[in-house]
Amino acid sequence: MNSLIFSVMVRYLRPILGVLALWLLLRGHNAPGGGFVAGLIAASAVILQVLSRGWQSLPIILRENLFELAGVGLAISAFSGTLSMILGNPFMTGRWTSFGGIKFGTPVLFDIGVFIVVFAVVILCAGFLLKEEEEENSQIGENK
């Protein structure tokens, strides 16, 4: 999309969506929100950037490693559940610790893993659709 208004809007909207996603991620187990919703919002911010500037505007490390990123998120979520089993509790039992007065627990770790998986998968799906559309448009241009 080559719209100046859309590009400027995305430039201001992306940081707002990023802060909203972080806020929803961190308050996930105390109120509505969490990793899934935060992942959707963060991915929508990236998709808006792709729509305004193209797939090549994403950093190459993000474009090329989305499958691996989803795997890392899945591993983090699985680890958060099995950590309680290692410590002798049932699977997915919440374990909490404190770092400098800030409580951190396995539910937060699980949400972070879900966030990473949802973020990567949504961007992958959008990327496949955008690449397919670009290929169709290039084939139409060749046929003219």
Side-chain angles (χ1 to χ4, degrees):
M1 211 181 268
N2 291 331
S3 169
L4 179 63
I5 295 171
F6 185 64
S7 295
V8 171
M9 180 196 72
V10 168
R11 188 177 306 145
Y12 290 107
L13 194 57
R14 275 188 54 225
I16 294 169
L17 289 174
V19 169
L20 178 64
L22 181 65
W23 180 67
L24 286 171
L25 175 65
L26 294 178
R27 71 180 284 249
H29 279 286
N30 297 326
F36 187 81
V37 174
L40 287 175
I41 291 174
S44 67
V46 172
I47 291 169
L48 283 173
Q49 174 187 339
V50 169
L51 288 174
S52 71
R53 297 188 214 151
W55 185 252
Q56 300 302 322
S57 68
L58 292 180
I60 193 163
I61 194 163
L62 184 60
R63 279 183 284 154
E64 301 296 327
N65 298 321
L66 285 169
F67 282 111
E68 290 84 1
L69 188 63
V72 167
L74 190 58
I76 290 171
S77 293
F79 173 73
S80 73
T82 56
L83 183 62
S84 58
M85 288 177 57
I86 293 169
L87 298 173
N89 294 324
F91 182 69
M92 294 293 285
T93 301
R95 302 292 294 190
W96 297 90
T97 188
S98 182
F99 292 113
I102 298 173
K103 284 189 174 183
F104 185 77
T106 55
V108 176
L109 193 61
F110 179 78
D111 268 346
I112 290 170
V114 169
F115 170 84
I116 294 170
V117 170
V118 170
F119 178 77
V121 169
V122 169
I123 293 173
L124 270 170
C125 291
F128 284 135
L129 291 172
L130 289 170
K131 287 178 186 175
E132 183 177 305
E133 182 180 328
E134 287 175 2
E135 289 173 4
E136 287 177 5
N137 289 341
S138 67
Q139 289 175 356
I140 292 171
E142 290 174 4
N143 291 339
K144 285 186 177 181

